[in-house]
Amino acid sequence: GQQLNQSPQSMFIQEGEDVSMNCTSSSIFNTWLWYKQDPGEGPVLLIALYKAGELTSNGRLTAQFGITRKDSFLNISASIPSDVGIYFCAGDRVGSNYKLTFGKGTLLTVNP
Amino acid sequence: NAGVTQTPKFQVLKTGQSMTLQCAQDMNHEYMSWYRQDPGMGLRLIHYSVGAGITDQGEVPNGYNVSRSTTEDFPLRLLSAAPSQTSVYFCASRRLLNEQFFGPGTRLTVL
């Protein structure tokens, strides 16, 4: 089953605000992946992280692989209405035989 | 590259009917998997494969079969559909320990 704690579950923000969400676990991970899912669509990969401490950006999005290898965060700067959607974290837990573990998602609503 | 493709996009079945959800990828990825997504439950792994000829069960395999005769294709078969299988199904592929890419999904309703 899922062993990733993703928070917050939902966020309601004003356009232009910055957003931060994170995933934590008691297990150690080899990779962290962050996805966005729009209604009626499949998850789309935003950022992939492969090394502890790694900080990677994709436009207004920045994600980090926690130094303990048990957590990761995603920041969105200067949010815009099209940022609305569900954001998932996922990772390769050590010993999981390539099966990704998923968080349950953060529902982001942006008020124009 | 088309990435991960799934057909059909929508399907309605009657209880007891069987069908196959198709999935294909053109990225030469070793690993392919099937998930179902239900409200409040997140993504749950049904079956996965680490290469042609190799398949294994995920966390919710009952009522589903898979096969992997080629690297590209990974069909999911519902043997006798039940209302509890009403869900959105996603196929995904990845190169091992790299990014995983999802298909657009199949929305299945079982009456």
Side-chain angles (χ1 to χ4, degrees):
Chain A
Q2 292 177 352
Q3 301 176 41
L4 278 179
N5 301 309
Q6 185 170 351
S7 64
Q9 284 187 313
S10 62
M11 301 181 75
F12 187 93
I13 62 171
Q14 296 295 122
E15 183 176 358
E17 289 183 354
D18 296 343
V19 172
S20 184
M21 59 193 78
N22 68 83
C23 280
T24 61
S25 176
S26 57
S27 302
I28 293 174
F29 283 74
N30 288 320
T31 60
W32 286 98
L33 307 173
W34 283 93
Y35 292 89
K36 182 189 179 207
Q37 186 174 22
D38 292 326
E41 305 291 330
V44 173
L45 183 67
L46 299 173
I47 293 178
L49 302 162
Y50 298 105
K51 292 193 311 185
E54 181 180 355
L55 185 71
T56 297
S57 293
N58 178 6
R60 293 178 295 104
L61 278 61
T62 302
Q64 185 160 29
F65 194 138
I67 198 71
T68 65
R69 296 174 63 192
K70 295 182 179 181
D71 60 353
S72 176
F73 72 75
L74 174 71
N75 287 343
I76 305 173
S77 63
S79 58
I80 59 178
S82 62
D83 290 334
V84 165
I86 301 176
Y87 292 80
F88 291 99
C89 61
D92 282 294
R93 184 174 50 83
V94 171
S96 64
N97 194 28
Y98 313 117
K99 291 179 286 185
L100 286 175
T101 303
F102 285 86
K104 289 201 171 182
T106 295
L107 173 61
L108 178 64
T109 304
V110 180
N111 191 32
Chain B
N1 284 354
V4 181
T5 58
Q6 290 183 239
T7 56
K9 195 164 179 63
F10 300 95
Q11 183 70 50
V12 178
L13 292 178
K14 294 181 180 178
T15 297
Q17 287 185 315
S18 63
M19 79 159 294
T20 300
L21 279 62
Q22 301 292 344
C23 174
Q25 54 94 6
D26 61 359
M27 297 173 281
N28 202 32
H29 287 168
E30 307 97 327
Y31 184 95
M32 296 186 74
S33 51
W34 277 101
Y35 297 85
R36 59 178 291 173
Q37 187 177 42
D38 303 291
M41 302 294 289
L43 287 160
R44 291 186 291 170
L45 182 65
I46 304 171
H47 285 285
Y48 66 100
S49 168
V50 297
I54 306 168
T55 63
D56 207 345
Q57 296 180 350
E59 51 180 308
V60 288
N62 292 342
Y64 308 96
N65 272 358
V66 291
S67 59
R68 184 95 180 270
S69 56
T70 67
T71 299
E72 294 78 19
D73 300 298
F74 191 45
L76 178 72
R77 280 181 286 277
L78 280 70
L79 309 172
S80 177
S84 60
Q85 293 178 305
T86 293
S87 187
V88 182
Y89 291 85
F90 290 103
C91 179
S93 77
R94 68 184 308 201
R95 200 171 305 283
L96 298 179
L97 291 181
N98 276 276
E99 299 99 332
Q100 175 161 294
F101 298 95
F102 286 86
T106 295
R107 282 139 192 88
L108 175 68
T109 301
V110 183
L111 303 174

